[in-house]
Amino acid sequence: MQTDKNLSDLRSLLLITRPSLQSTLLLQALKKRFYNNVTLRQSDIVESSTIADGDLLLFDMLSLETQTSQQWCQHLQNCQKRFKVLLFNTPTQYHHRDIAEWPMISGVFHTETCEENLIEGIKNVSRGEKCFPKAINEYILQQLSLSHPQWNEFVVLTHREKEILSKLRQGASNIEIARLLFISENTVKTHIYNLFKKISVKNRTQAVFWANKNMR
């Protein structure tokens, strides 16, 4: 088998799913195509400490309950590594907004995607491409500014803005932020509006991406 340089540079592909005969067969197929650089992680164990720079995280959406999916999203938003997230076995009714909440989202594959197309999509993502179904491609690119990000990286945030941005990274709502910081919800809205304008983002998802990239 001829080695693809881009794939050989891949640190690791993490298949995050429930152990089963189907997942075992997929794991074997992935190892064959990705030179054994693949490991299986249980989807119900939310853990990001072992994720390394350059990893691809392949989530089996049929193995994730709604609450577990949200926990993974929040956990990964606070992860300081540079990784890429791919979702497979994604139900067609899974809302675009929920897809956009995944940090570093780079590929989405629906339940009807065959194994060969899934593997080809993973290879494309590992080379730096994005792999989204046409129905959600425009939405994802618009929400995350994946194609031409215009974020303002050189800004000075106030202490309050840093506090609010930190709460956004934790997935807190405006009401929760107001309660935690002992300020009114309207004050929170004003701070968020000014913060988004200062760092040149349009929504909370982009703000979290900006924070993950620029805040430590």
Side-chain angles (χ1 to χ4, degrees):
M1 182 182 297
Q2 183 178 1
T3 300
D4 185 318
K5 183 179 185 302
N6 294 89
L7 297 183
S8 63
D9 288 342
L10 174 67
R11 181 178 178 87
S12 186
L13 172 61
L14 308 183
L15 173 60
I16 303 172
T17 183
R18 289 196 191 104
S20 66
L21 175 60
Q22 183 181 15
S23 63
T24 299
L25 293 174
L26 177 57
L27 179 66
Q28 292 173 351
L30 291 171
K31 284 186 174 182
K32 182 178 179 181
R33 300 292 293 272
F34 290 89
Y35 322 109
N36 291 317
N37 202 17
V38 186
T39 57
L40 188 147
R41 303 286 178 84
Q42 291 188 224
S43 55
D44 58 343
I45 301 177
V46 182
E47 174 59 58
S48 63
S49 62
T50 59
I51 294 174
D53 284 326
D55 283 354
L56 297 189
L57 314 182
L58 182 61
F59 283 91
D60 180 359
M61 298 307 291
L62 291 183
S63 74
L64 291 176
E65 301 292 341
T66 300
Q67 183 177 2
T68 308
S69 176
Q70 294 172 346
Q71 290 173 344
W72 269 110
C73 284
Q74 181 175 337
H75 211 67
L76 292 176
Q77 284 172 353
N78 295 321
C79 180
Q80 302 299 322
K81 302 297 182 180
R82 295 184 179 276
F83 53 85
K84 295 181 180 180
V85 167
L86 303 92
L87 312 179
F88 79 104
N89 278 338
T90 309
T92 54
Q93 66 268 26
Y94 193 54
H95 200 282
H96 298 175
R97 180 183 63 252
D98 296 324
I99 293 175
E101 287 297 322
W102 284 87
M104 310 303 176
I105 184 72
S106 299
V108 175
F109 307 92
H110 288 314
T111 50
E112 65 270 17
T113 303
C114 68
E115 182 179 288
E116 185 61 32
N117 287 342
L118 172 62
I119 292 176
E120 191 62 31
I122 296 171
K123 289 168 64 177
N124 290 337
V125 170
S126 70
R127 298 185 182 107
E129 301 177 17
K130 308 299 177 187
C131 194
F132 300 114
K134 292 181 180 179
I136 65 173
N137 185 63
E138 183 178 349
Y139 178 87
I140 295 294
L141 293 179
Q142 180 183 24
Q143 292 298 307
L144 305 184
S145 297
L146 291 174
S147 55
H148 300 290
Q150 300 295 322
W151 297 332
N152 186 357
E153 302 176 6
F154 305 101
V155 297
V156 178
L157 301 181
T158 65
H159 177 70
R160 180 65 80 190
E161 288 169 342
K162 290 179 180 178
E163 286 183 321
I164 289 178
L165 193 51
S166 177
K167 300 306 179 187
L168 292 180
R169 295 174 77 182
Q170 297 171 18
S173 66
N174 288 356
I175 295 177
E176 291 171 330
I177 294 174
R179 177 175 56 82
L180 291 168
L181 300 183
F182 304 101
I183 56 180
S184 71
E185 187 179 357
N186 284 335
T187 301
V188 172
K189 291 179 180 179
T190 299
H191 279 304
I192 289 178
Y193 174 81
N194 293 333
L195 175 64
F196 285 7
K197 186 176 181 180
K198 181 179 286 189
I199 64 178
S200 302
V201 302
K202 297 180 180 179
N203 53 48
R204 300 167 90 93
T205 301
Q206 291 182 347
V208 169
F209 268 71
W210 185 95
N212 288 341
K213 181 179 179 182
N214 296 287
M215 292 181 66
R216 292 293 181 267

